[in-house]
Amino acid sequence: MKRFLTLAVLLLVQALSVQAQERTCATMDIYDAFMDANPKALEMRDEVELHTDMVLDLGLRTVTGTITIPTVVHVVYNGETQNISEEQIQSQIDVLNEDFRLLNSDADGFWPQESDVEIEFCLASVDPGGNATNGITRTATDTQSFGLDGNVKFDATGGKDGWPGTDYLNIWVCNLGDDLLGFAQIPNGGPLDRDGIVVGFDSFGTVGTATAPFNLGRTTTHEVGHWLNLFHIWGDGPCDIDDLVEDTPPADGPNYGCPLNAFSCDTPDMPQNYMDYTNDACMNLFTQGQRERMRALFQYGGARSSILLSEGCGTAGATADLPTCADGLQNQGETGIDCGGPCEDCTCENELVRLNINFDIYPDETTWQITNAEGEIVHQGGPYEYLEQSFSLSFDLCLDPGCYDFEIFDTFDDGICCGFGNGSYNLVANGTQLISGGAFGSSEIQSFCVGGVLCNVGASCNDGDVCTVEDVFDADCNCAGTFVDTD
């Protein structure tokens, strides 16, 4: 009961003292202007949404646990009043961690879809040059106030150059004109050197210069929501325009103040959502759908996935299937698939074999392995949760001369061809196809030999001869027999 009385008192005080003040956010104005001026930018935004749809529709999940985002606060001030204290900055970081973890004291459970996003924020301890830092920069400026032109983001225009957006969340705190509270750059919705959010010094944090009704840090929570690919809860349009989140009710416009009984589009509005325009004391939740949309950015190939590799807070920021030397992709500077660059050299002194897999629409069901004659697994891969449907991969595998078993598995017992896509696989050495397949049930095993190795024909063979790498797939041959060296 105490919590609800406190909220009521706050709302009453704010309503009496600042009735004329309303939340303003220029994120969509900046986004629309950039898209209009840069038609090709639409393609980049389409990629973000296609990746998000893939993650959400197919349930592709590689990132688990809490994501930690290294954060730098750039204080750009004209006069000491605007040079906010470290205590005020820390109060804002605390609010972000409470709001994104559903640890905020005003969470009331009114909306059952409220959710812990499992995203946290830390003031950076390591700067881009590898030096120790407190995660705060301070820049005196002659500029009286900043606007939507982004000048606050550059040394040359009276502001402060940002740190790499691939590794840090940049927050610029300054005096904003035109009654603005803040704005953000939506993922791939603008140049990388402008990536981050901007917040007015009088709506940042919970102490110092923070001024009611925007003195509880929710302006920054709102703008970070944009930075993590959330739109305003009403979709910036009437009822037929959506915010791309299924569990937020449609609305025909923003709410101001705290109209808890707001109703539009034949459903109750959600004025308590951080992505509405209500006062700080009214906001208290993100939904499960918003959580999934934000976290999709960090899945493999997502627009914010590089943050997971950032050392800005001293360690990488989440438990995830990050790029490795065994992920079956040529990435992270590799000169071949899982070799070269940071991985072992690509040179194969023995037999180089290429495995090609064309997946069906469920790559996450597929795994494979290659075992030698002693039953030891020498190569394996999958499942491929992060791949798009019907994706194709190739693997260069280095094998000692000998005979092997290739086995492929499908957890849904329908192979990779042909019920849900036209998947297939083959194994090639020196331009010769060794095995191929795709239509099987739960698994399929095929044998092959490489390096000129021969094997006994076994009792089931009728040709009275050994099988070689060229005819090893004759139905009469069984390469599990004793090796015969042809040299």
Side-chain angles (χ1 to χ4, degrees):
M1 178 63 71
K2 181 179 179 181
R3 183 171 58 202
F4 295 107
L5 288 174
T6 301
L7 174 60
V9 170
L10 280 170
L11 294 176
L12 177 60
V13 170
Q14 291 174 10
L16 291 174
S17 62
V18 287
Q19 288 181 339
Q21 191 170 6
E22 294 180 337
R23 183 176 300 279
T24 53
C25 166
T27 295
M28 296 312 298
D29 295 330
I30 295 173
Y31 171 79
D32 290 339
F34 181 76
M35 290 298 155
D36 289 344
N38 301 273
K40 289 187 177 181
L42 288 173
E43 297 178 9
M44 298 177 65
R45 275 298 304 163
D46 286 344
E47 290 179 3
V48 173
E49 292 306 321
L50 285 172
H51 178 269
T52 299
D53 289 344
M54 178 187 72
V55 171
L56 299 183
D57 293 346
L58 298 181
L60 306 180
R61 299 289 189 275
T62 57
V63 177
T64 59
T66 302
I67 296 167
T68 301
I69 298 177
T71 303
V72 54
V73 176
H74 305 291
V75 181
V76 181
Y77 62 96
N78 183 286
E80 284 306 310
T81 299
Q82 298 173 19
N83 189 16
I84 61 175
S85 69
E86 190 167 341
E87 178 189 9
Q88 186 169 346
I89 292 169
Q90 186 59 55
S91 74
Q92 181 61 76
I93 299 299
D94 292 342
V95 169
L96 286 175
N97 287 327
E98 291 167 0
D99 289 350
F100 279 81
R101 293 305 314 271
L102 196 60
L103 297 174
N104 48 303
S105 61
D106 53 357
D108 55 21
F110 179 82
W111 294 93
Q113 61 267 54
E114 70 179 11
S115 180
D116 173 3
V117 182
E118 286 192 277
I119 291 178
E120 295 180 353
F121 304 82
C122 62
L123 283 172
S125 59
V126 181
D127 73 9
N131 304 303
T133 178
N134 64 354
I136 302 169
T137 70
R138 298 184 182 274
T139 304
T141 182
D142 293 331
T143 303
Q144 295 293 319
S145 65
F146 292 92
L148 304 185
D149 52 18
N151 285 346
V152 72
K153 300 181 179 182
F154 301 99
D155 293 350
T157 51
K160 174 64 178 176
D161 290 348
W163 292 5
T166 53
D167 297 312
Y168 302 89
L169 163 60
N170 287 282
I171 301 179
W172 287 270
V173 181
C174 64
N175 184 35
L176 284 174
D178 300 322
D179 295 323
L180 288 172
L181 295 185
F183 54 89
Q185 181 163 296
I186 291 174
N188 285 0
L192 187 59
D193 60 0
R194 293 172 177 257
D195 193 38
I197 73 169
V198 180
V199 182
F201 77 98
D202 52 357
S203 56
F204 188 80
T206 63
V207 298
T209 60
T211 305
F214 308 117
N215 62 331
L216 300 180
R218 266 56 191 274
T219 295
T220 302
T221 298
H222 177 101
E223 300 304 341
V224 172
H226 283 312
W227 185 79
L228 291 173
N229 208 30
L230 296 186
F231 294 102
H232 290 133
I233 195 169
W234 68 97
D236 290 273
C239 294
D240 59 343
I241 302 298
D242 189 44
D243 66 347
L244 305 182
V245 179
E246 290 186 2
D247 65 357
T248 57
D252 62 2
N255 289 295
Y256 299 97
C258 193
L260 295 179
N261 295 319
F263 193 92
S264 66
C265 307
D266 299 323
T267 59
D269 288 354
M270 189 183 278
Q272 302 98 321
N273 195 282
Y274 294 124
M275 302 313 295
D276 207 336
Y277 266 9
T278 48
N279 293 345
D280 280 17
C282 191
M283 297 176 164
N284 61 33
L285 83 146
F286 288 116
T287 69
Q288 178 69 23
Q290 288 174 318
R291 163 198 159 92
E292 297 304 320
R293 181 172 172 82
M294 286 188 277
R295 291 181 65 88
L297 292 172
F298 298 92
Q299 302 297 332
Y300 189 87
R304 301 285 185 211
S305 59
S306 62
I307 289 285
L308 300 179
L309 298 175
S310 173
E311 296 290 338
C313 285
T315 58
T319 301
D321 290 337
L322 301 177
T324 69
C325 296
D327 59 8
L329 297 173
Q330 185 173 340
N331 51 26
Q332 60 187 341
E334 296 167 354
T335 56
I337 296 172
D338 291 337
C339 65
C343 307
E344 291 185 9
D345 190 81
C346 291
T347 301
C348 180
E349 297 180 355
N350 295 313
E351 189 75 13
L352 186 64
V353 178
R354 170 157 287 201
L355 170 63
N356 303 299
I357 303 180
N358 303 309
F359 295 91
D360 62 8
I361 66 173
Y362 297 110
D364 59 312
E365 297 175 357
T366 303
T367 57
W368 60 270
Q369 65 184 34
I370 294 176
T371 55
N372 60 21
E374 286 73 37
E376 301 168 334
I377 297 176
V378 294
H379 291 289
Q380 61 184 341
Y384 299 97
E385 294 95 341
Y386 52 82
L387 294 184
E388 298 181 31
Q389 57 184 359
S390 304
F391 201 85
S392 296
L393 287 180
S394 295
F395 309 85
D396 285 333
L397 311 174
C398 192
L399 297 174
D400 294 331
C403 293
Y404 299 86
D405 287 334
F406 172 82
E407 191 165 8
I408 187 168
F409 307 88
D410 184 272
T411 58
F412 202 70
D413 299 340
D414 63 353
I416 58 175
C417 176
C418 302
F420 296 93
N422 191 28
S424 63
Y425 68 85
N426 68 4
L427 199 66
V428 178
N430 298 319
T432 300
Q433 180 170 281
L434 305 179
I435 60 172
S436 64
F440 57 92
S442 61
S443 66
E444 179 172 61
I445 184 169
Q446 296 201 54
S447 301
F448 65 95
C449 297
V450 295
V453 170
L454 308 178
C455 55
N456 288 345
V457 296
S460 63
C461 293
N462 299 319
D463 59 7
D465 199 356
V466 295
C467 58
T468 66
V469 67
E470 287 80 13
D471 66 358
V472 67
F473 301 110
D474 188 313
D476 289 335
C477 291
N478 178 359
C479 275
T482 303
F483 292 162
V484 177
D485 193 342
T486 59
D487 295 336

